[in-house]
Amino acid sequence: MEPVEQQIRSDSNATETSSEQSEASAPASPVRTERRQKPRAWETPPAPVPPPRLDDYKSIVGEADIDELKFLARDLKGKKVKMVNSTAVGGGVAEMLNQMVPLLRELDVETHWDVITGGNDFFEVTKAFHNALQGSDYKLTQHARDIFLMHNDQNRNRIDFSEDFIVIHDPQPAALIRAQKESNQHWIWRCHIDLSSPNPEVWAFLRPFVEKYDAAIFSSQSFARQLPIPQYLFYPCIDPLSEKNKELEDSFVQHVCDEFGVDRSRPIVTQVSRFDRAKDPVGVVQAFKQARKYVDCQLVLAGGGASDDPEGAAVLKEVKDAVGADPDIIILDLPPWCALEINALQRASTIIVQKSIREGFGLTVTEALWKGKPTIAGAVGGIPNQIIHKLTGALVHSVDGCAYQIRYLLTHPAFAQQLGHNGHEHVKENFLMSTNVRRWLLLLRILLAGGAK
Ligand code: UDP
């Protein structure tokens, strides 16, 4: 299966979408004339857009960076790479592969992408493994081991592994390493999850597979484990040209604010997050209410997933209870295809908050920093990789701390602006798709030169 080709998309693109929408936009409304949670125009998903080409990034990172990629790829021409993961759509890994595989191919690094198959039984087991490896309680049974190995074996027999580099993403297909044969092949395990405190039984089961790889890659120092194989740090990345992150016409930003009843003449504090307790939306409401005693502002809580996730619905209810009848707090339960609207809300914001108490890497923080927004975020997971306190944003550990920072940044706009500027530069340097491609090229070259054997 070749998901990339299957997903090359129709001609319609976001520029059309946004210009249509902005043409249709009414002049800025004053304060919340009508507030709709799911504006009619966005009830159905827009047509997907094709992934960008290498040269499209020149205007963002500069020609020299793109030339560097071409230079690094020279010695890899004709080498074959296979990426394997567990889903073609949905989730950050598939999204990243969808962008990265065509870029590697454009650089003449022949890259193929295979997705493992499995029944419900397999995906139930791997979901439980995924959660257990990130700390949830789980009792590993022999049945679960058998299901895991059986489906890995079926995929091992189905997929061809003749490439020079085989990259296995995440734990679901980790046992495919048993297909390793030729000594001049390089097998890499790219772990996207936080393995810092795994369920000991599940880790003991997976560890022998992981140790057979030639190298492992983690997304943050804090997610890694001691392993006898070389480990590399690859931060996750965002695509500056995606619907979520590309530049938008101000008229479109205004249109989205009008639709959602957000008043751009007053400061806007925003958190974009699934309605999940780990994101502490209730804590955000409390911090906002404290700060607003001293400084005028509105809060936008934009999230999704509450309609198809019972826990999300429960958290949304807790948030609504905490909000009460406060007219300055706008809760938006958005469908999953609202990338342009989220982009617009982030761009309209004065401050962005991500007050997580548990977090993966925290891509919403990356997105906020990229948009040059002063960002306040919980000091958990990968967030401290992105926010250097008082330099690229503000790290907080409590509701009081968050309230203090909202108040401080809203009353010190020059400092807030400097944080936003630094945050943007930090993302440009470390967390963009083009940097990710550079890391891959460098790693493949290191392995080719015998660095990891
Ligand atoms: N996101 C979204 N719609 C929502 C909430 C979040 O599209 O209603 C996006 C958000 O912009 C980001 C991603 O989902 O790109 C969330 O990634 P993050 O690493 O911050 O958190 P996760 O949800 O993976 O724990």
Side-chain angles (χ1 to χ4, degrees), residues 146-274:
D146 292 344
I147 298 271
F148 181 84
L149 292 177
M150 181 184 81
H151 284 285
N152 264 270
D153 279 347
Q154 281 174 2
N155 282 289
R156 179 157 62 103
N157 293 331
R158 185 181 62 81
I159 300 173
D160 170 48
F161 291 107
S162 56
E163 290 80 359
D164 303 285
F165 301 95
I166 313 285
V167 184
I168 304 293
H169 292 260
D170 278 338
Q172 298 92 333
L176 291 178
I177 185 69
R178 296 199 289 183
Q180 184 182 38
K181 277 188 224 89
E182 298 169 37
S183 59
N184 57 353
Q185 240 183 3
H186 302 276
W187 283 69
I188 304 159
W189 190 53
R190 171 64 171 109
C191 179
H192 297 269
I193 65 173
D194 178 357
L195 272 192
S196 57
S197 39
N199 173 298
E201 276 185 326
V202 177
W203 178 236
F205 171 62
L206 283 178
R207 186 182 173 116
F209 299 115
V210 170
E211 290 182 350
K212 288 203 177 72
Y213 285 81
D214 297 310
I217 304 173
F218 290 92
S219 295
S220 164
Q221 304 87 326
S222 60
F223 296 176
R225 299 216 51 85
Q226 283 285 346
L227 289 170
I229 57 174
Q231 294 184 53
Y232 296 87
L233 172 63
F234 278 33
Y235 294 124
C237 61
I238 58 166
D239 187 344
L241 299 169
S242 68
E243 303 289 87
K244 184 74 66 64
N245 296 305
K246 67 180 189 180
E247 295 280 344
L248 294 175
E249 296 285 334
D250 190 66
S251 57
F252 179 70
V253 175
Q254 184 65 55
H255 173 68
V256 171
C257 288
D258 290 345
E259 283 282 313
F260 289 130
V262 179
D263 177 6
R264 289 183 85 194
S265 68
R266 297 169 59 212
I268 302 166
V269 178
T270 301
Q271 172 157 305
V272 174
S273 270
R274 293 178 291 110

Side-chain angles (χ1 to χ4, degrees), residues 20 37 68 80 89 133 160 179 197 258 274 291 324 336 343 442:
E20 273 165 26
Q37 290 214 339
E68 186 189 8
K80 293 188 176 146
V89 284
L133 287 167
D160 170 48
S197 39
D258 290 345
R274 293 178 291 110
N343 185 349
L442 285 168

Side-chain angles (χ1 to χ4, degrees), residues 125 129 138-145 199 201-203 205:
V125 167
F129 279 18
Y138 179 65
K139 182 79 201 101
L140 179 62
T141 61
Q142 190 54 44
H143 180 64
R145 288 174 217 250
N199 173 298
E201 276 185 326
V202 177
W203 178 236
F205 171 62

Side-chain angles (χ1 to χ4, degrees), residues 79-92:
K79 293 291 172 199
K80 293 188 176 146
V81 179
K82 170 155 286 168
M83 302 271 174
V84 182
N85 82 322
S86 63
T87 173
V89 284

